[in-house]
Amino acid sequence: MPPHLRRRRDLAAARVTAGTLGLLHGLIPDDRRYIPDFLTPPPGSSLPSIHQVADTVRRTPPDEVDYHLDIAFRGRAVRPEVAATFGSTAAYERWRRPMPPAVTDALADGPAALAARAADALVNYFTAVLEPEWDTTRALLQDDISHRAEKMADLGAGAMIDNIGDGVCWRDGEVRIARPYDVLIDWASDGFVLIPSTAQDEQVLFSAERPRTPVITYPARGVFRLWNPSTERGDEAVRALIGDTRVLLLASLDEPRSTSQLSRDTALAPATVSYHLSILRRAGLVRSRRRRRVVLYQRCPLGTRLLGR
């Protein structure tokens, strides 16, 4: 988990009530499965406030909330059109997850009440955890948007899409996203919306339901700017010894990460990341292993001691 997400987790545990966290954890799984789409409405402007987003969530029609809950949770109605995209109802049921008690309790007064409680929970979480660093976060997101706009202008949409997140590519004029279900979205008049996120790690989120414009939420570049430099980038002596870039890469390797993930996190070019990783590996500070087609790097105990952790 990147340092800024660890910090947010710890802040949430200290500042957000157990009931609010329970509801958010119940609705938003940490295993990359489906998040009910009413929680992530397409933005009404380029920089909506948290209260504007929450108001949209709160006003979600009850039948739409019900539909999204049916998609997500076992024991709810099986929507034939959704099950068909998985090839069988059995495969669909394996993909769904049990409804957590916090969601069951919030749903006791109906889907509209659940949407209202979820909206309040989002505001409470933002105020307690994200608002103190929101200016820096917003600047990072705007920089990512500018970077990708320039890349599309210089190299085309395909070049911009191909490195936007794991399992996403541009092929034959189509954006393709790896998912356990098979759906063709052909709404040529609608296009789609790209939303950078500092909370995404590797895999993109995807939402496509009429009448909403399809949305891809992807990991933003340069999230290292949200790390605490005094604790995550080593002291001055270590930085003088091996350089800022290598300390930055070492600090990001608490967990195995690929070159492409590190490139997104640090906003460094993949070739630059590979060059410095090869030096760190020869020095015994990081190790690598292959997982299918991807090489993953992780900090060694010597690298951890060097950072003073």
Side-chain angles (χ1 to χ4, degrees), residues 24 27-28 35-41 53 57 60 68 118-119 122 212:
L24 291 175
L27 289 169
I28 304 172
I35 298 173
D37 286 327
F38 74 89
L39 296 170
T40 56
V53 173
V57 172
T60 306
H68 296 161
L122 292 172
R212 296 180 174 185

Side-chain angles (χ1 to χ4, degrees), residues 40-43 141 144-145 164 193-197 200 215-220:
T40 56
L141 297 174
D144 180 277
I145 293 170
I164 210 164
V193 176
L194 290 171
I195 301 178
S197 169
Q200 284 300 110
V215 174
I216 297 176
T217 304
Y218 64 90

Side-chain angles (χ1 to χ4, degrees), residues 7 10 45 54 85 94 97 149 163 199 203 217 238 240 242 248:
R7 184 177 69 250
D10 295 342
S45 64
T85 67
R94 287 193 298 271
R97 56 194 175 97
N163 71 343
Q203 194 176 50
T217 304
V238 176
I242 66 173
L248 179 62

Side-chain angles (χ1 to χ4, degrees), residues 62-95:
D63 58 342
E64 188 174 331
V65 175
D66 265 333
Y67 177 62
H68 296 161
L69 296 178
D70 289 347
I71 294 174
F73 297 113
R74 294 188 196 123
R76 302 272 304 180
V78 174
R79 304 277 181 154
E81 69 277 16
V82 179
T85 67
F86 286 82
S88 70
T89 299
Y92 175 43
E93 285 289 10
R94 287 193 298 271
W95 177 81

Side-chain angles (χ1 to χ4, degrees), residues 5-150:
L5 296 185
R6 287 200 306 271
R7 184 177 69 250
R8 291 175 182 175
R9 177 197 61 195
D10 295 342
L11 283 174
R15 298 179 178 178
V16 182
T17 66
T20 294
L21 281 182
L23 179 58
L24 291 175
H25 285 310
L27 289 169
I28 304 172
D30 57 8
D31 58 3
R32 300 181 185 175
R33 278 191 279 186
Y34 172 73
I35 298 173
D37 286 327
F38 74 89
L39 296 170
T40 56
S45 64
S46 59
L47 288 173
S49 71
I50 183 59
H51 296 287
Q52 290 172 318
V53 173
D55 187 54
T56 301
V57 172
R58 189 175 287 106
R59 290 186 290 104
T60 306
D63 58 342
E64 188 174 331
V65 175
D66 265 333
Y67 177 62
H68 296 161
L69 296 178
D70 289 347
I71 294 174
F73 297 113
R74 294 188 196 123
R76 302 272 304 180
V78 174
R79 304 277 181 154
E81 69 277 16
V82 179
T85 67
F86 286 82
S88 70
T89 299
Y92 175 43
E93 285 289 10
R94 287 193 298 271
W95 177 81
R96 293 207 292 184
R97 56 194 175 97
M99 180 178 285
V103 179
T104 302
D105 293 344
L107 190 58
D109 294 326
L114 171 62
R117 288 189 59 183
D120 291 340
L122 292 172
V123 172
N124 292 339
Y125 180 91
F126 178 89
T127 303
V129 178
L130 297 181
E131 192 168 44
E133 63 180 36
W134 185 240
D135 287 344
T136 302
T137 302
R138 182 170 56 187
L140 187 158
L141 297 174
Q142 290 175 316
D143 287 348
D144 180 277
I145 293 170
S146 297
H147 167 81
R148 297 195 183 278
E150 291 174 5

